[in-house]
Amino acid sequence: RLRRFEQLGVINAGPAHTLEAARLAFKHGLSAYDAAYLWLAVSEGSELATLDGMLRNAAMAEGLVGKQRTACK
């Protein structure tokens, strides 16, 4: 079962990753939940899509969002 789990490409956030997410939470005033998403995007070098203003501002500050986009209606 563990082998199947490992094949999913799931990232196991250990203590060092948790501390980095906490640093991002304090830096940007985010919840631990939002900071975990921000940490993942930073660590993967990917954009972060969100409608949450604080999380979007944090992503912009970390260089993950180039310009504001509007939601699809």
Side-chain angles (χ1 to χ4, degrees), residues 17-30:
H17 300 128
T18 303
L19 288 174
E20 182 60 20
R23 184 192 68 76
L24 289 168
F26 284 114
K27 179 179 178 182
H28 299 291
L30 299 172

Side-chain angles (χ1 to χ4, degrees), residues 33-48:
Y33 185 83
D34 286 347
Y37 279 109
L38 181 59
W39 167 81
L40 183 60
V42 168
S43 67
E44 293 295 309
S46 63
E47 281 193 10
L48 180 65

